[in-house]
Amino acid sequence: MVDAEQTYVQKAIESFSEQLQARYNKDKVFILPTLQNYLKRSVERCDYEIEIAKRRNLVFGAKLVRGAYIVEETKLAKQKGYENPVVGKFDDTT
């Protein structure tokens, strides 16, 4: 399982995970990316992961998490002045 982190490093982790999946998920799931349900982009990211797996003829699996960095991401967005990447509240992540 490839864990997920804060949004400021997550794109690099997703790229690494994609590369590993392309190499190892040909016959069964060995590499599982983590999809963060508390992020506004989570549905888009899930759709993307599934589409890439289909195009590459890979077996897909994923780990879903609900809210590991909700407080930190909200605080960072406010401090740095960018749109909060997090959905409204923890209950919205289900």
Side-chain angles (χ1 to χ4, degrees):
M1 283 191 249
V2 179
D3 204 7
E5 294 297 328
Q6 296 88 349
T7 54
Y8 55 87
V9 294
Q10 187 56 36
K11 290 196 189 241
I13 294 168
E14 290 168 357
S15 175
F16 180 67
S17 175
E18 261 187 61
Q19 293 172 55
L20 289 172
Q21 288 176 80
R23 183 171 183 173
Y24 294 107
N25 287 7
K26 295 182 188 288
D27 298 316
K28 66 181 185 176
V29 177
F30 283 103
I31 307 298
L32 289 109
T34 297
L35 301 173
Q36 299 162 298
N37 291 352
Y38 63 94
L39 295 177
K40 292 175 183 174
R41 70 188 277 266
S42 65
V43 172
E44 176 186 311
R45 183 68 201 174
C46 185
D47 291 345
Y48 171 81
E49 290 279 353
I50 292 168
E51 181 59 33
I52 290 295
K54 284 179 183 175
R55 272 195 240 159
R56 294 179 177 169
N57 205 26
L58 302 173
V59 182
F60 177 74
K63 171 184 151 186
L64 303 175
V65 296
R66 287 182 65 199
Y69 301 110
I70 286 178
V71 173
E72 183 179 352
E73 291 285 0
T74 300
K75 184 178 174 181
L76 278 172
K78 193 172 199 173
Q79 286 175 345
K80 305 283 184 182
Y82 57 83
E83 181 184 347
N84 189 351
V86 172
V87 297
K89 58 187 181 297
F90 187 75
D91 289 341
D92 295 337
T93 66
T94 53

